[in-house]
PDB file of all heavy atoms in Angstrom:
ATOM      1  N   SER A 217      24.124  -1.614  -0.624  1.00 97.00           N
ATOM      2  CA  SER A 217      24.668  -2.982  -0.996  1.00 97.00           C
ATOM      3  C   SER A 217      23.494  -3.929  -1.304  1.00 97.00           C
ATOM      4  O   SER A 217      22.502  -3.978  -0.565  1.00 97.00           O
ATOM      5  CB  SER A 217      25.438  -3.525   0.279  1.00 97.00           C
ATOM      6  OG  SER A 217      25.065  -4.899   0.618  1.00 97.00           O
ATOM      7  N   ILE A 218      23.648  -4.582  -2.435  1.00 97.00           N
ATOM      8  CA  ILE A 218      22.583  -5.555  -2.845  1.00 97.00           C
ATOM      9  C   ILE A 218      22.345  -6.558  -1.787  1.00 97.00           C
ATOM     10  O   ILE A 218      21.115  -6.887  -1.494  1.00 97.00           O
ATOM     11  CB  ILE A 218      22.977  -6.234  -4.207  1.00 97.00           C
ATOM     12  CG1 ILE A 218      23.140  -5.236  -5.314  1.00 97.00           C
ATOM     13  CG2 ILE A 218      21.997  -7.390  -4.562  1.00 97.00           C
ATOM     14  CD1 ILE A 218      21.809  -4.826  -5.913  1.00 97.00           C
ATOM     15  N   ASN A 219      23.398  -7.178  -1.185  1.00 98.00           N
ATOM     16  CA  ASN A 219      23.175  -8.155  -0.216  1.00 98.00           C
ATOM     17  C   ASN A 219      22.380  -7.600   1.040  1.00 98.00           C
ATOM     18  O   ASN A 219      21.520  -8.300   1.613  1.00 98.00           O
ATOM     19  CB  ASN A 219      24.545  -8.593   0.355  1.00 98.00           C
ATOM     20  CG  ASN A 219      25.218  -9.535  -0.603  1.00 98.00           C
ATOM     21  OD1 ASN A 219      24.603 -10.040  -1.571  1.00 98.00           O
ATOM     22  ND2 ASN A 219      26.543  -9.696  -0.456  1.00 98.00           N
ATOM     23  N   HIS A 220      22.655  -6.360   1.436  1.00 97.00           N
ATOM     24  CA  HIS A 220      21.904  -5.719   2.505  1.00 97.00           C
ATOM     25  C   HIS A 220      20.401  -5.583   2.083  1.00 97.00           C
ATOM     26  O   HIS A 220      19.495  -5.749   2.909  1.00 97.00           O
ATOM     27  CB  HIS A 220      22.563  -4.506   2.941  1.00 97.00           C
ATOM     28  CG  HIS A 220      23.801  -4.632   3.757  1.00 97.00           C
ATOM     29  ND1 HIS A 220      24.603  -3.572   4.113  1.00 97.00           N
ATOM     30  CD2 HIS A 220      24.336  -5.794   4.348  1.00 97.00           C
ATOM     31  CE1 HIS A 220      25.597  -4.032   4.827  1.00 97.00           C
ATOM     32  NE2 HIS A 220      25.434  -5.377   5.018  1.00 97.00           N
ATOM     33  N   VAL A 221      20.211  -5.126   0.848  1.00 97.00           N
ATOM     34  CA  VAL A 221      18.855  -4.961   0.373  1.00 97.00           C
ATOM     35  C   VAL A 221      18.034  -6.313   0.464  1.00 97.00           C
ATOM     36  O   VAL A 221      16.919  -6.315   0.878  1.00 97.00           O
ATOM     37  CB  VAL A 221      18.783  -4.365  -1.029  1.00 97.00           C
ATOM     38  CG1 VAL A 221      17.403  -4.294  -1.641  1.00 97.00           C
ATOM     39  CG2 VAL A 221      19.378  -2.879  -1.043  1.00 97.00           C
ATOM     40  N   GLN A 222      18.714  -7.323   0.042  1.00 98.00           N
ATOM     41  CA  GLN A 222      18.039  -8.606   0.114  1.00 98.00           C
ATOM     42  C   GLN A 222      17.763  -9.021   1.551  1.00 98.00           C
ATOM     43  O   GLN A 222      16.750  -9.534   1.857  1.00 98.00           O
ATOM     44  CB  GLN A 222      18.956  -9.718  -0.551  1.00 98.00           C
ATOM     45  CG  GLN A 222      18.601  -9.756  -2.074  1.00 98.00           C
ATOM     46  CD  GLN A 222      19.724 -10.373  -2.904  1.00 98.00           C
ATOM     47  OE1 GLN A 222      20.801 -10.700  -2.405  1.00 98.00           O
ATOM     48  NE2 GLN A 222      19.420 -10.457  -4.135  1.00 98.00           N
ATOM     49  N   GLU A 223      18.709  -8.743   2.484  1.00 98.00           N
ATOM     50  CA  GLU A 223      18.445  -9.022   3.878  1.00 98.00           C
ATOM     51  C   GLU A 223      17.269  -8.206   4.340  1.00 98.00           C
ATOM     52  O   GLU A 223      16.435  -8.731   5.089  1.00 98.00           O
ATOM     53  CB  GLU A 223      19.756  -8.706   4.657  1.00 98.00           C
ATOM     54  CG  GLU A 223      19.652  -8.994   6.187  1.00 98.00           C
ATOM     55  CD  GLU A 223      20.837  -8.659   6.950  1.00 98.00           C
ATOM     56  OE1 GLU A 223      21.900  -8.394   6.375  1.00 98.00           O
ATOM     57  OE2 GLU A 223      20.828  -8.664   8.161  1.00 98.00           O
ATOM     58  N   ILE A 224      17.221  -7.011   3.923  1.00 98.00           N
ATOM     59  CA  ILE A 224      16.091  -6.065   4.364  1.00 98.00           C
ATOM     60  C   ILE A 224      14.794  -6.590   3.842  1.00 98.00           C
ATOM     61  O   ILE A 224      13.850  -6.609   4.583  1.00 98.00           O
ATOM     62  CB  ILE A 224      16.344  -4.644   3.818  1.00 98.00           C
ATOM     63  CG1 ILE A 224      17.496  -3.907   4.679  1.00 98.00           C
ATOM     64  CG2 ILE A 224      15.087  -3.761   3.825  1.00 98.00           C
ATOM     65  CD1 ILE A 224      18.103  -2.673   4.056  1.00 98.00           C
ATOM     66  N   LEU A 225      14.792  -7.158   2.665  1.00 97.00           N
ATOM     67  CA  LEU A 225      13.454  -7.707   2.119  1.00 97.00           C
ATOM     68  C   LEU A 225      12.946  -8.865   3.010  1.00 97.00           C
ATOM     69  O   LEU A 225      11.771  -9.068   3.161  1.00 97.00           O
ATOM     70  CB  LEU A 225      13.679  -8.291   0.754  1.00 97.00           C
ATOM     71  CG  LEU A 225      13.841  -7.189  -0.423  1.00 97.00           C
ATOM     72  CD1 LEU A 225      14.108  -7.844  -1.703  1.00 97.00           C
ATOM     73  CD2 LEU A 225      12.517  -6.390  -0.395  1.00 97.00           C
ATOM     74  N   GLY A 226      13.879  -9.576   3.697  1.00 98.00           N
ATOM     75  CA  GLY A 226      13.532 -10.614   4.604  1.00 98.00           C
ATOM     76  C   GLY A 226      12.902 -10.214   5.854  1.00 98.00           C
ATOM     77  O   GLY A 226      12.568 -10.984   6.800  1.00 98.00           O
ATOM     78  N   ALA A 227      12.666  -8.860   6.053  1.00 98.00           N
ATOM     79  CA  ALA A 227      12.089  -8.328   7.235  1.00 98.00           C
ATOM     80  C   ALA A 227      10.530  -8.385   7.139  1.00 98.00           C
ATOM     81  O   ALA A 227       9.828  -8.212   8.124  1.00 98.00           O
ATOM     82  CB  ALA A 227      12.499  -6.817   7.418  1.00 98.00           C
ATOM     83  N   THR A 228      10.045  -8.752   5.922  1.00 97.00           N
ATOM     84  CA  THR A 228       8.613  -8.725   5.663  1.00 97.00           C
ATOM     85  C   THR A 228       8.201 -10.185   5.517  1.00 97.00           C
ATOM     86  O   THR A 228       8.940 -11.102   5.358  1.00 97.00           O
ATOM     87  CB  THR A 228       8.156  -7.942   4.505  1.00 97.00           C
ATOM     88  OG1 THR A 228       8.823  -8.478   3.301  1.00 97.00           O
ATOM     89  CG2 THR A 228       8.597  -6.454   4.646  1.00 97.00           C
ATOM     90  N   GLY A 229       6.826 -10.390   5.541  1.00 96.00           N
ATOM     91  CA  GLY A 229       6.228 -11.747   5.258  1.00 96.00           C
ATOM     92  C   GLY A 229       6.146 -12.564   6.540  1.00 96.00           C
ATOM     93  O   GLY A 229       5.830 -13.803   6.516  1.00 96.00           O
ATOM     94  N   TRP A 230       6.478 -12.076   7.753  1.00 97.00           N
ATOM     95  CA  TRP A 230       6.360 -12.811   8.964  1.00 97.00           C
ATOM     96  C   TRP A 230       6.110 -11.728  10.116  1.00 97.00           C
ATOM     97  O   TRP A 230       6.316 -10.521   9.815  1.00 97.00           O
ATOM     98  CB  TRP A 230       7.590 -13.679   9.258  1.00 97.00           C
ATOM     99  CG  TRP A 230       8.904 -12.852   9.335  1.00 97.00           C
ATOM    100  CD1 TRP A 230       9.557 -12.293   8.224  1.00 97.00           C
ATOM    101  CD2 TRP A 230       9.526 -12.369  10.526  1.00 97.00           C
ATOM    102  NE1 TRP A 230      10.621 -11.614   8.717  1.00 97.00           N
ATOM    103  CE2 TRP A 230      10.626 -11.624  10.158  1.00 97.00           C
ATOM    104  CE3 TRP A 230       9.309 -12.542  11.887  1.00 97.00           C
ATOM    105  CZ2 TRP A 230      11.478 -10.982  10.977  1.00 97.00           C
ATOM    106  CZ3 TRP A 230      10.146 -11.955  12.758  1.00 97.00           C
ATOM    107  CH2 TRP A 230      11.201 -11.159  12.363  1.00 97.00           C
ATOM    108  N   ARG A 231       5.794 -12.220  11.272  1.00 97.00           N
ATOM    109  CA  ARG A 231       5.501 -11.264  12.289  1.00 97.00           C
ATOM    110  C   ARG A 231       6.161 -11.725  13.661  1.00 97.00           C
ATOM    111  O   ARG A 231       6.050 -12.926  14.036  1.00 97.00           O
ATOM    112  CB  ARG A 231       3.958 -11.083  12.560  1.00 97.00           C
ATOM    113  CG  ARG A 231       3.328 -10.171  11.669  1.00 97.00           C
ATOM    114  CD  ARG A 231       3.581  -8.723  12.173  1.00 97.00           C
ATOM    115  NE  ARG A 231       2.859  -7.747  11.351  1.00 97.00           N
ATOM    116  CZ  ARG A 231       3.385  -7.045  10.400  1.00 97.00           C
ATOM    117  NH1 ARG A 231       4.639  -7.219  10.018  1.00 97.00           N
ATOM    118  NH2 ARG A 231       2.665  -6.138   9.747  1.00 97.00           N
ATOM    119  N   LEU A 232       6.756 -10.818  14.370  1.00 98.00           N
ATOM    120  CA  LEU A 232       7.194 -11.060  15.748  1.00 98.00           C
ATOM    121  C   LEU A 232       5.981 -11.292  16.608  1.00 98.00           C
ATOM    122  O   LEU A 232       4.972 -10.631  16.388  1.00 98.00           O
ATOM    123  CB  LEU A 232       7.967  -9.901  16.350  1.00 98.00           C
ATOM    124  CG  LEU A 232       9.420  -9.635  15.820  1.00 98.00           C
ATOM    125  CD1 LEU A 232       9.839  -8.184  16.089  1.00 98.00           C
ATOM    126  CD2 LEU A 232      10.344 -10.604  16.424  1.00 98.00           C
TER     127      LEU A 232
END
Side-chain angles (χ1 to χ4, degrees):
S217 135
I218 295 283
N219 287 343
H220 284 170
V221 170
Q222 275 160 352
E223 183 181 349
I224 287 167
L225 286 174
T228 62
W230 60 282
R231 275 283 185 262
L232 284 162

